[in-house]
Amino acid sequence: MKEQDSISGRREFLKTSGAMAAGVVTGFPAIISGQTVTNAIKVGLVGAGGRGTGAAAQALTADDYAELWAVADIDQSRIDASLATLAKQKIASQLKVDKANQYLGLDAYQKVIDSGVDIVILTTPPGFRPVHLAACIDANKHVFCEKPISTDAPGVRSVLATTEKARAKNLSLVSGFCWRYNDAIVDSFKHVHDGSIGHLVAYYANYFTTPVKPMPPESTRPAGMSDTEWQIRNWYNFVWLCGDSIVEQAVHSVDKVAWAMNDEPPVSCTAVGGREIPAEGGNIYDHFSVNYLYPNGFRAFVSNRQSVGCYNENADYIMGSEGACILVGARPPRVEGKNPWTWSGVKYDMYQREHDVLFASIRKHQPINNGKRMATSTLLAMMGRMAAYTGQQITWEQAMNSQESLVPEHLDWNGSLPVAPRAKPGVTKFS
Amino acid sequence: MRKIMSWVASGCLLAAASYAKKIDFRRDIAPVLEEHCVECHFPGTTSSGTQLKDRKELLAGGSVVPGKPNDSFFYNSMVDGWMPPAGKLVEVQLALIFDWIAQGAPWPEGIVLKRPEKKEQAAAAPSVELDNVRRIREIIVAKKTAAKGAYHVTIPNTTVAYDMTPIPAGEFLMGSSQKPDELPQHHVRVDAFWMQTHEVTWDEYHLFMFAEQANEKAGQDKTVDAISRPTHPYVEMSFGMGIEGFPAISMTQHGANKYAEWLSAKTGEFYRLPTEAEWEYACKAGGKPSAPLADTAWYAANSTGKYQKVETKKPNAFGLFDMLGNVSEWTLDQLAPYSAASQDNPWVAPKKAYPIAVRGGNWNDPPENVTCEVRLGSDASWKEQDPQLPKSIWYETDAPWLGFRLVRPVKLPSAEEMYRYWNNGVEHDEQ
């Protein structure tokens, strides 16, 4: 299940590619359009919030000949704000978004895909991701796909199928599980895998923070705003859109558990979870604690909480028979025990690395595909949610075959959309 | 929870008699809307939601419920800091909006809001903020603190305290012959000041980050309310290195400046960051440090990979602790080459976001970076782990070794000078 990324310095490569004469296109994938004169790679952005704007800046920084060509969102003011922010960055000259290539609404993603772009950045709420990703690959687009990649198991299965299509088409698919592109964390997992801490015993990770995007009260809903729009504007508070906090945020910790286990699946998990702060019309929990069982008896414990006035920490403690590898926030990762080690080196922006790798893969025609592991890491977090919501032990096979479909098949921008009640352990049934 | 706290806060505002004046839309509300809102919320700029054309159009959007500010999304989104996206309004402005809606949201016919023109950087101080600085100065003048020598300060309404060490006026040789940016050595004279004996701790900085921990209630002290304060971070910023008695870290220079303004308003003593010259003069303390580095400083060789409690090593000849090592310290200056000329009280006011000068080395540094002369320039990479654009103006997510301490000049500056010290004007990253 291990996937190889060719993490290579973009600058060395671009020195050569940038120097190429205008007419030289031999060796470039036929899939890149519009490069005949300018060598341009056209980028489409689907979801122009803070993360999407950040990702767009990184895409344009990754390749001197990348151009932002089209943008989709549900709100013109977000597109305006995003473009205004990008216009203040070094990459301002690479902004080529005509008014005609700014699209609004639930089908705007397809218009971006059809606008003649080469790469699509998917940074909407994750509930939309499986459909957006499938449309990109169908249309032969390379993709940067922000985490998580779905909010339900049918979506995970869809992404796994799309991943294989992308592979067959030699398209690059880079995921936003950013720690896999962080030099210090990459080095740390080398130590974990090379036996520096002996054989692995247990993994404890926490993600204790303040609330991310709290739900406003229903009384603040503007007159005439449909359920669909209201929920999308407050997407973090709805399971179908966000997947709940363990899938949307603590999935970073879960992804590192998967990394430690070489992306092999667990046997099963149990979990507790609930909500302390009133939900105000949303249906997500604000805390989870999941206990994963792996085939060799290895245990992984992942806890998250979004609260105020409580002890906060975001750390990973990977425990082995001869030591521990400890990853805490922005501090240098370290190994304690028999083979002590502390990471040192010059840091490189992991978000930038994601795009450097993506663009270099396209330029070199050496496609990268993170699809499988981004899908299985998302499912691993989702499995914890399923166990917490139902109060049952959930096996990997159950999770993978779950029939529970959370995302409405036909979404009407002006339509009504009842909110499912918040899950009750022992009452809510697994499906 | 953040939501709940803001209801409490607004409830207090309602009860506060000091704000209960009759709102004049043109005088009180229009300037706030023009500066912060109309750029996006104006006919033709946004596809949906609040339109600031006239009262009828505004009410049609549904976000303002006349007479009921707490039921108005317009007000709640501002209290929660989602709007305006560029940064939360100060308490005085929030109180005006609250009172305006409470008084039925009057908007006389015929008043049309102006859209803002592009503002020049380093524009004149906004009058509302400068007025507040003038009030702070009046408090300081009225208090007439006549401290001589070392003294002890307890932050009002709390049990948190710090010490002030007197630093006599004097002349010294700034720079060294060791590194290019420490050249040329030149004579500098500085006026007398007090300096905080230890680096600002979390005990102190948390009072500024979380008003409720400082036992502050909105509406009680309008001068303090008017000072902008940090947004709540999504992760806990001590990264598990300790809180009580440990130095505060990872704040921007803007954060440190606003802390100085807040502390001045609270204590009635004028505080600001030290200039590079004041910092180096205080560090050298009249001569070369004679004690071995390990006796006076926490640095890479003895820190065990984290910051340590303040005042746990020996002080320098002035009685200042941890000038070298533990956490690096913000200064007021843009990092700029030295000139050979002698200077009195030099200060290079920042004109761009990077680099701003940081001094003293830290727990993660080798000994050659832990000297009184070493100069470090701030960098955009210190915000790398913030995945959004625009990035936070309050946190350096990747600088868990960066803190500060304040000085109190003996000579009290004018209100305009105070404003310049507390507002670097370059808090928003623009490259």
Side-chain angles (χ1 to χ4, degrees), chain A residues 124-138:
Chain A
T124 64
F128 299 113
R129 199 87 75 246
V131 169
H132 290 183
L133 182 62
C136 289
I137 300 304
D138 276 348

Side-chain angles (χ1 to χ4, degrees), chain B residues 97-382:
Chain B
I97 299 287
F98 182 94
D99 284 355
W100 173 58
I101 298 175
Q103 292 171 24
W107 183 339
E109 273 201 49
I111 297 184
V112 178
L113 299 179
K114 285 193 209 69
R115 299 190 65 187
E117 305 195 354
K118 279 258 170 194
K119 273 172 279 178
E120 285 292 311
Q121 227 176 37
S127 61
V128 61
E129 287 161 38
L130 183 57
D131 283 349
N132 201 55
V133 172
R134 291 199 180 101
R135 278 200 294 277
I136 295 172
R137 193 174 188 281
E138 283 161 19
I139 293 166
I140 294 167
V141 170
K143 195 183 166 202
K144 281 190 198 145
T145 311
K148 277 183 189 157
Y151 67 102
H152 185 78
V153 183
T154 302
I155 299 176
N157 292 327
T158 75
T159 55
V160 176
Y162 54 90
D163 292 305
M164 298 300 291
T165 296
I167 309 294
E171 192 178 310
F172 76 112
L173 191 60
M174 190 164 176
S176 84
S177 55
Q178 299 298 308
K179 294 183 181 168
D181 67 345
E182 295 165 17
L183 286 166
Q185 287 181 288
H186 55 293
H187 289 277
V188 169
R189 218 198 71 79
V190 294
D191 291 340
F193 57 94
W194 287 267
M195 190 171 220
Q196 289 186 316
T197 309
H198 61 69
E199 291 157 339
V200 173
T201 61
W202 282 119
D203 311 56
E204 296 153 69
Y205 200 71
H206 273 170
L207 303 180
F208 170 59
M209 286 174 70
F210 307 104
E212 62 277 14
Q213 291 190 20
N215 301 311
E216 288 176 21
K217 291 192 172 68
Q220 274 183 341
D221 183 337
K222 64 178 180 172
T223 311
V224 168
D225 285 350
I227 298 165
S228 64
R229 292 165 90 135
T231 51
H232 287 194
Y234 290 155
V235 295
E236 191 269 337
M237 300 302 292
S238 76
F239 302 110
M241 293 191 281
I243 302 286
E244 283 178 35
F246 289 96
I249 52 161
S250 293
M251 73 294 291
T252 56
Q253 196 221 26
H254 175 70
N257 287 333
K258 290 290 135 185
Y259 174 81
E261 182 176 9
W262 172 82
L263 190 66
S264 301
K266 296 285 281 188
T267 59
E269 297 180 0
F270 170 65
Y271 292 102
R272 60 164 168 78
L273 284 173
T275 63
E276 266 200 282
E278 287 164 343
W279 193 95
E280 186 171 321
Y281 174 68
C283 182
K284 285 178 166 167
K288 280 262 166 215
S290 52
L293 189 61
D295 290 356
T296 58
W298 295 108
Y299 63 111
N302 63 7
S303 71
T304 65
K306 63 184 284 297
Y307 59 49
Q308 301 290 331
K309 282 198 175 182
V310 299
E311 297 196 11
T312 50
K313 289 283 184 185
K314 284 183 188 163
N316 74 3
F318 280 144
L320 300 167
F321 289 87
D322 302 305
M323 289 298 282
L324 297 179
N326 212 13
V327 295
S328 297
E329 299 180 14
W330 281 114
T331 72
L332 267 186
D333 291 68
Q334 189 98 68
L335 188 75
Y338 290 150
S339 71
S342 296
Q343 289 175 292
D344 281 4
N345 298 304
W347 175 39
V348 182
K351 291 210 167 51
K352 51 184 182 178
Y354 305 104
I356 291 174
V358 167
R359 291 301 203 106
N362 62 71
W363 56 264
N364 199 33
D365 271 327
E368 63 270 23
N369 288 347
V370 187
T371 74
C372 290
E373 296 90 1
V374 159
R375 312 171 77 199
L376 182 65
S378 66
D379 189 85
S381 68
W382 297 2

